[in-house]
């Protein structure tokens, strides 16, 4: 059974601090990794994709991938109240299907 | 139309009734998917289609059927709704390859 695991939270972070979200996956052959943001009552929105080991930065967001440890993370710098949402980790496996984690609820404290 | 359009936005349905959730995309994506999202269970794949004319079963296909007559449309049908099918349903699409999915805005279905 392929799995993507996330801490459900809520993760509370003061405004302006760095939020760190973590994810592990079970399919060692996975090649593509994604982070989605989902506001309450809305659909998931793709915010980051990463395909190779290391860091990928996009504005205030940095995705980190370590395939040896089967670990993906998302860092949000200078956290804003508008970053309060549920963040879904998603992994595309060898069968080309994307498996989603259950999400981590992030709450930015003003 | 921009992206993926789902209809209806929400629906209250009597148990035993038949219902079709509509999904249309204008991005010419080959692959389309139906998910349901329930509190504590996350997104679960119901059915998928890798290309027009083909469909496959996901993690929770029982009670649901799909068709893919063309690239743009991927309707989901509940033949005889039951209360356990109360959920938020998301349609998604992707180009083949390594990219992520684009999601529609969802349909909130309540079966009573």
């Amino acid at each position: 059974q392929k799995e993507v695991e996330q801490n459900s939270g809520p993760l509370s972070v003061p405004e302006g601090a760095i939020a760190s979200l973590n994810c592990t996956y079970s399919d060692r052959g996975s090649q593509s990794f994604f982070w989605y943001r989902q506001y309450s009552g809305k659909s998931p929105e793709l915010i980051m994709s990463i395909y190779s080991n290391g860091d990928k930065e996009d504005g205030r967001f940095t995705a980190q991938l370590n395939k040896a440890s089967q670990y993906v993370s998302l860092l949000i710098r200078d956290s804003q109240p508008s970053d309060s949402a549920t963040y879904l980790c998603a992994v595309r496996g060898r069968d080309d299907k994307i498996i989603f984690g259950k999400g981590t609820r992030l709450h930015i404290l003003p | 139309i921009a992206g993926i359009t789902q209809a209806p936005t929400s629906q209250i349905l009597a148990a035993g009734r038949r219902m079709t959730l509509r999904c249309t995309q204008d991005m010419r994506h080959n692959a389309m998917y139906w998910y349901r999202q329930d509190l504590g269970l996350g997104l679960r794949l119901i059915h998928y289609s890798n290309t027009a004319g083909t469909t496959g079963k996901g993690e929770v296909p029982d009670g649901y059927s799909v068709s893919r007559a063309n690239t743009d449309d991927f309707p989901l049908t509940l033949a005889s709704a039951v209360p356990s099918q109360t959920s938020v349903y998301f349609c998604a699409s992707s180009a083949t390859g390594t990219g992520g999915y684009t999601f529609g805005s969802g349909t909130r279905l309540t079966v009573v």
Side-chain angles (χ1 to χ4, degrees):
Chain A
Q1 180 80 357
K2 298 170 188 173
E3 295 182 338
V4 176
E5 299 286 344
Q6 296 181 254
N7 188 316
S8 63
L11 175 65
S12 295
V13 174
E15 182 176 356
I18 296 175
S20 178
L21 305 166
N22 304 313
C23 169
T24 59
Y25 60 94
S26 63
D27 183 0
R28 188 170 288 278
S30 299
Q31 295 296 323
S32 306
F33 307 87
F34 311 95
W35 283 99
Y36 285 80
R37 178 177 61 200
Q38 187 175 23
Y39 292 115
S40 180
K42 301 296 185 181
S43 59
E45 173 193 11
L46 181 64
I47 57 172
M48 289 290 286
S49 306
I50 187 166
Y51 305 103
S52 56
N53 281 329
D55 295 359
K56 178 182 178 182
E57 185 175 319
D58 184 1
R60 294 187 297 112
F61 298 96
T62 299
Q64 298 175 317
L65 174 61
N66 183 327
K67 290 185 180 180
S69 300
Q70 295 174 239
Y71 180 89
V72 192
S73 66
L74 179 70
L75 302 178
I76 306 175
R77 290 182 301 281
D78 188 25
S79 296
Q80 302 296 310
S82 60
D83 295 326
S84 296
T86 296
Y87 289 80
L88 307 177
C89 175
V91 176
R92 185 189 290 270
R94 282 170 286 188
D95 63 357
D96 210 34
K97 299 295 182 297
I98 291 181
I99 305 295
F100 290 85
K102 295 179 181 179
T104 298
R105 285 182 294 141
L106 175 64
H107 181 48
I108 305 302
L109 304 170
Chain B
I1 298 178
I4 299 180
T5 300
Q6 291 186 237
T9 301
S10 65
Q11 181 75 44
I12 299 174
L13 186 67
R17 297 295 295 270
R18 181 184 179 91
M19 173 79 186
T20 295
L21 308 185
R22 300 185 298 278
C23 176
T24 300
Q25 54 109 355
D26 66 352
M27 297 175 287
R28 308 304 293 174
H29 283 171
N30 291 324
M32 297 187 75
Y33 312 87
W34 275 105
Y35 285 87
R36 59 178 290 173
Q37 188 175 40
D38 303 285
L39 193 64
L41 298 177
L43 285 163
R44 293 183 291 169
L45 182 64
I46 304 171
H47 285 286
Y48 65 92
S49 170
N50 288 329
T51 189
T54 69
T55 63
K57 294 181 179 180
E59 180 184 356
V60 288
D62 293 343
Y64 305 95
S65 64
V66 292
S67 62
R68 186 87 184 276
N70 57 61
T71 297
D72 298 344
D73 301 301
F74 191 42
L76 175 74
T77 297
L78 290 67
S80 179
V82 295
S84 62
Q85 292 177 312
T86 293
S87 187
V88 179
Y89 291 85
F90 289 106
C91 180
S93 72
S94 72
T96 52
T98 58
Y101 297 171
T102 300
F103 283 86
S105 56
T107 293
R108 182 175 297 274
L109 180 66
T110 303
V111 181
V112 296

